[in-house]
Amino acid sequence: MTEPTDTQQYSFKAETKQLLNILIHSLYKEREVFLRELLSNASDALNRLRFETVTNRDVLDLNAELKIHITLDKDSRMLTIQDTGIGMTKDEVIENLGTIAQSGARKFIEATKDKNTDLTSVIGQFGVGFYSVFMVAEWVRVTSRSFRKDDEAVMWYATGEDNYQIGHTDMSERGTKIEIKLKEDAAEFAEEYRLKNIIHKHSDYIGFPIYIGEAKEAVNKQTSLWRTSKQEVTEEQYTEFYRQTTLDFEDPLLHIHMATDAPVQLYALLYVASKAERGVFSLRKDDGLKLYTRNILIDEYNKDLLPEYLRFVQGVVDSEDLPLNVSRETVQSSGLMPKLKKVLTNQVMRELENLAKNNAEKYQAFWQEFGLYLKQGIASNPVDADTINPLLRFKTNLNPETWSSLEEYVSRMKEGQKEIYYIVGEDSKSVLRSPHLDYFHSLGTEVLLLTDPMDSFMLMGLHKYKDFDLKNVAQAEVDTTQKPKDQPEAEKIADIDFNSLVEHFKQVLGERVADVRASTRLYQSVARLADADANANPELQRVYKYLGKEYEIPKKVLELNPSHTMLKDLLNLEAGSELQNIIIEQIYDSSLLVEGLHPDPSSMASRVQQIMEAALKQKSG
Ligand code: ADP
Ligand code: MG
């Protein structure tokens, strides 16, 4: 190599300067991670070269060994890391080491404000890993030669201050060489035993041999974590791998490590995060799994390996069965994908079931974060309902604070109960006040509370669990010969009076209701709205509402409680008086309200005021 020629000076962007400043002056802990970052870059470059050669044989040094070579000189405090990877052109060097990473730098600087974050463990995830070299370097010189035969070699030099230099240079072999002059207090990184230690700790899994000095044997194990047998991987290693690849500061909720040979060969290492929402720093830009074939990354966000409802699962899948010469596009159409998907889906569902069985507490945490996805899965893949059903959890009127499975519900069912009851509503508080529950409350029958918008969608695919149909309490036929024991039966309004009251309701409400009639299943409530058509589908009505579709809610039947004191008092008012009329209006509006169907609740305010005024007048009058 000769001295670089026509060197030009460039200035780092403001954020990069700030970042370098932080790296150089405040991050002393675990400076060793700079080596992990440089080796990971070398490994990326080697991977990219390998991917390139799948389709392109016209590359420089086609047959050179894919490797990383480290040389050390303790006396001069020099450390050199050289790879035979894809290399960089001058423009790429400017782009990759000089100007990009702006957004990453900004995010990293943001992250340094949170004192709890262990920055060194995740620095690579900000796309600024290369700069971590300045934690230990007095100066750094990068020499690179692209795999494209016609491009010249390039040199980049910086001290971590404001500027960097770029020039042409001579280098005959393909790849990138990084020469580091270590700071005085970083001389340890020119010690062979120290480097070996760091490599074993952080970079053992790099899939290319790392040689130090003249040694013929690679320092690293060279097998990726997902290809390592389960017995040899510790919990810490699973967690570290997760953090490295996701930039999630929290530990994962679950990891699934699998290797199979039939019906397809695959290795997979999958994770479920502890939170559904991606962290602010997350670099995971999309759903999907990383798909490798024989250690070559062919797709970073593959969405064909799991059904959509498991899209919260992240991680790596590696299969030897995928042909090597597949492009990212043709992999989708390869007949192998459905097989991989089936194996992976079964495994994930099995692991979730095991978690539910063996660790209820952790499973609840999972359900709280990801239950939504499974519900959606039932709506969009009803054929999978049988495998998803056991994973569902519900709050109920009798157990409103804890999560129950359908199995638990069924095991608590009363003798003779033939259906699983549920009620749909806006939130569990208001739903518990629903008049549809009167009868069930009184008999102590358990009812699932479905208060999540996704529940209505789920119900479109969930009709049965085992032998039991699911039934909306609003529509359930009730056996009114069964009377609650502990409730004295209130005296009914005489038929003749009740009928005139019904007529009166009909007059006031007119076209707005399909009918007004007596109810046989109300105890505490005055009235309830029932569907006129026994086959109506209240879930679908809600789905339309959530989707914002123009949809006229079918007219309902207003059912009145013939034993309710309020109706008795209403009868005592002057027939056809204004007060009687507005109370009838309010009974109807309140029913709409608890049903979550009221189009404009605030419109009731003036009427409620009128009613209050009347009540106060009575008291004082
Ligand atoms: P990241 O690896 O997350 O992209 P880095 O700061 O570690 O961020 O590296 C910046 C970029 O510099 C890389 O994306 C890559 O394009 C380039 N680069 C770094 N090291 C090498 C190398 N050894 N060979 C080829 N390109 C490299
Ligand atoms: Mg990197």
Side-chain angles (χ1 to χ4, degrees):
M1 190 173 98
T2 55
E3 278 306 298
T5 53
D6 58 16
T7 315
Q8 283 167 291
Q9 183 146 312
Y10 296 79
S11 187
F12 284 120
K13 292 264 163 64
E15 274 96 1
T16 312
K17 281 186 208 165
Q18 211 180 334
L19 169 76
L20 287 170
N21 199 37
I22 293 172
L23 288 172
I24 294 166
H25 299 292
S26 14
L27 287 178
Y28 291 114
K29 230 178 48 175
E30 286 200 74
R31 290 191 298 176
E32 66 186 37
V33 298
F34 86 92
L35 186 64
R36 179 192 69 202
E37 295 306 325
L38 296 184
L39 292 174
S40 131
N41 286 348
S43 165
D44 289 348
L46 288 160
N47 259 320
R48 289 170 57 199
L49 190 273
R50 188 154 67 177
F51 189 72
E52 181 67 33
T53 55
V54 170
T55 51
N56 176 11
R57 312 301 288 173
D58 189 27
V59 306
L60 185 64
D61 297 345
L62 179 64
N63 296 316
E65 185 191 6
L66 298 182
K67 62 172 183 181
I68 300 168
H69 194 184
I70 298 178
T71 50
L72 304 167
D73 183 357
K74 246 170 82 176
D75 298 332
S76 59
R77 293 202 314 274
M78 285 300 297
L79 164 64
T80 304
I81 300 167
Q82 181 161 10
D83 65 64
T84 52
I86 196 140
M88 285 179 275
T89 62
K90 182 178 170 192
D91 288 346
E92 285 167 341
V93 166
I94 297 176
E95 163 118 347
N96 296 336
L97 305 183
T99 56
I100 61 139
Q102 292 308 305
S103 66
R106 209 171 308 128
K107 280 190 189 168
F108 184 82
I109 293 161
E110 264 313 294
T112 57
K113 292 179 184 149
D114 180 353
K115 293 279 170 290
N116 295 323
T117 320
D118 176 11
L119 290 167
T120 46
S121 75
V122 294
I123 184 168
Q125 297 297 328
F126 293 88
V128 297
F130 172 76
Y131 292 125
S132 64
V133 71
F134 289 105
M135 297 194 289
V136 298
E138 218 168 86
W139 55 257
V140 178
R141 181 162 53 211
V142 178
T143 312
S144 196
R145 171 106 195 236
S146 165
F147 72 99
R148 293 184 199 87
K149 286 176 173 161
D150 296 338
D151 282 305
E152 289 174 273
V154 57
M155 186 283 314
W156 180 97
Y157 172 89
T159 57
E161 271 145 41
D162 294 356
N163 307 308
Y164 61 93
Q165 290 164 19
I166 288 195
H168 286 291
T169 185
D170 281 344
M171 176 155 103
S172 55
E173 66 273 32
R174 181 194 71 218
T176 303
K177 175 156 97 178
I178 300 183
E179 292 165 281
I180 302 158
K181 168 77 177 183
L182 295 163
K183 292 184 195 170
E184 252 172 73
D185 67 357
E188 57 185 299
F189 300 113
E191 305 268 6
E192 184 168 330
Y193 81 95
R194 180 81 173 97
L195 288 197
K196 280 186 171 167
N197 249 326
I198 304 173
I199 292 170
H200 287 312
K201 188 164 162 199
H202 298 292
S203 310
D204 230 5
Y205 299 111
I206 285 198
F208 302 93
I210 303 171
Y211 302 104
I212 299 189
E214 302 300 308
K216 293 273 171 293
E217 226 176 291
V219 189
N220 57 328
K221 251 206 268 172
Q222 285 178 66
T223 173
S224 42
L225 191 60
W226 60 86
R227 282 173 172 252
T228 307
S229 108
K230 263 192 206 181
Q231 288 74 30
E232 288 173 34
V233 187
T234 63
E235 282 300 311
E236 288 72 40
Q237 285 173 314
Y238 282 127
T239 306
E240 154 135 344
F241 180 80
Y242 173 76
R243 290 190 174 208
Q244 290 303 317
T245 50
T246 61
L247 194 65
D248 187 350
F249 299 136
E250 287 187 57
D251 288 355
L253 201 87
L254 186 69
H255 69 254
I256 300 171
H257 188 179
M258 62 185 291
T260 68
D261 286 319
V264 277
Q265 194 288 327
L266 72 79
Y267 301 98
L269 181 50
L270 308 179
Y271 291 91
V272 175
S274 52
K275 289 278 178 297
E277 205 180 324
R278 284 183 200 131
V280 256
F281 302 120
S282 177
L283 284 195
R284 193 170 136 82
K285 299 274 177 288
D286 201 351
D287 299 323
L289 301 179
K290 288 199 172 83
L291 179 59
Y292 286 78
T293 174
R294 299 170 214 191
N295 263 329
I296 304 182
L297 180 63
I298 52 175
D299 194 359
E300 211 176 345
Y301 299 107
N302 191 291
K303 298 187 184 64
D304 298 322
L305 291 163
L306 285 174
E308 222 207 330
Y309 61 85
L310 293 179
R311 64 186 181 280
F312 57 87
V313 176
Q314 35 189 310
V316 175
V317 176
D318 186 351
S319 173
E320 306 250 327
D321 288 349
L322 283 167
L324 233 187
N325 60 352
V326 288
S327 67
R328 287 172 175 83
E329 288 71 39
T330 56
V331 96
Q332 320 293 358
S333 54
S334 142
L336 192 72
M337 295 303 284
K339 284 193 204 157
L340 290 172
K341 180 175 179 175
K342 195 162 170 207
V343 171
L344 292 165
T345 306
N346 287 346
Q347 185 70 19
V348 171
M349 294 306 276
R350 216 171 14 239
E351 298 267 352
L352 289 175
E353 257 184 77
N354 284 343
L355 183 70
K357 236 180 263 156
N358 305 329
N359 192 339
E361 198 180 319
K362 211 167 176 187
Y363 186 75
Q364 291 204 356
F366 164 81
W367 177 254
Q368 254 143 244
E369 288 295 320
F370 301 102
L372 202 64
Y373 294 80
L374 298 183
K375 291 177 184 178
Q376 190 211 351
I378 292 191
S380 53
N381 304 46
V383 285
D384 291 353
D386 283 350
T387 43
I388 304 177
N389 286 349
L391 295 175
L392 300 176
R393 293 295 179 272
F394 300 94
K395 297 204 166 153
T396 76
N397 60 335
L398 302 185
N399 295 286
E401 303 302 333
T402 53
W403 292 107
S404 307
S405 65
L406 289 171
E407 193 52 42
E408 286 164 322
Y409 176 99
V410 166
S411 73
R412 294 194 291 251
M413 266 169 38
K414 296 215 188 138
E415 228 188 278
Q417 186 180 336
K418 293 188 184 64
E419 289 168 327
I420 295 174
Y421 297 112
Y422 65 84
I423 181 163
V424 185
E426 304 285 308
D427 62 275
S428 48
K429 260 202 197 122
S430 65
V431 114
L432 282 172
R433 271 187 231 117
S434 167
H436 301 305
L437 280 182
D438 271 21
Y439 170 81
F440 299 87
H441 271 327
S442 314
L443 291 173
T445 306
E446 189 158 27
V447 177
L448 308 176
L449 308 179
L450 304 187
T451 53
D452 180 9
M454 191 55 82
D455 289 336
S456 301
F457 292 87
M458 171 186 72
L459 286 166
M460 291 166 44
L462 180 66
H463 306 292
K464 228 176 159 61
Y465 175 71
K466 294 195 168 165
D467 288 335
F468 305 99
D469 287 331
L470 271 85
K471 192 83 193 168
N472 188 327
V473 288
Q475 292 181 309
E477 275 178 41
V478 301
D479 172 9
T480 45
T481 58
Q482 252 190 308
K483 293 274 184 256
K485 288 174 208 75
D486 50 355
Q487 265 186 30
E489 213 173 320
E491 202 186 320
K492 278 192 185 166
I493 299 174
D495 279 354
I496 175 162
D497 290 337
F498 188 77
N499 289 341
S500 77
L501 196 62
V502 164
E503 279 315 306
H504 205 63
F505 265 84
K506 283 183 184 169
Q507 256 172 29
V508 173
L509 299 176
E511 290 291 297
R512 283 175 285 170
V513 289
D515 196 9
V516 180
R517 66 179 179 222
S519 171
T520 51
R521 50 178 279 183
L522 292 178
Y523 295 91
Q524 291 83 23
S525 312
V526 189
R528 71 166 196 136
L529 286 171
D531 283 302
D533 174 3
N535 300 317
N537 187 335
E539 288 75 49
L540 199 62
Q541 294 169 19
R542 243 160 226 283
V543 165
Y544 279 119
K545 187 181 153 195
Y546 288 124
L547 294 177
K549 285 248 167 73
E550 283 284 332
Y551 178 73
E552 196 145 340
I553 289 162
K555 274 186 217 168
K556 304 258 177 181
V557 174
L558 184 67
E559 285 191 0
L560 300 174
N561 178 353
S563 318
H564 206 281
T565 49
M566 197 160 127
L567 294 186
K568 292 175 189 167
D569 292 339
L570 194 60
L571 265 172
N572 289 336
L573 289 178
E574 188 192 326
S577 66
E578 200 198 348
L579 187 57
Q580 197 183 45
N581 290 352
I582 60 174
I583 288 176
I584 289 174
E585 289 279 0
Q586 190 55 42
I587 288 175
Y588 174 66
D589 267 11
S590 300
S591 307
L592 280 178
L593 201 63
V594 289
E595 220 56 33
L597 294 176
H598 202 297
D600 181 16
S602 63
S603 67
M604 301 186 319
S606 66
R607 186 188 317 119
V608 170
Q609 183 169 342
Q610 266 179 294
I611 296 172
M612 288 191 296
E613 279 165 8
L616 290 170
K617 216 180 279 163
Q618 281 236 321
K619 276 262 188 248
S620 56

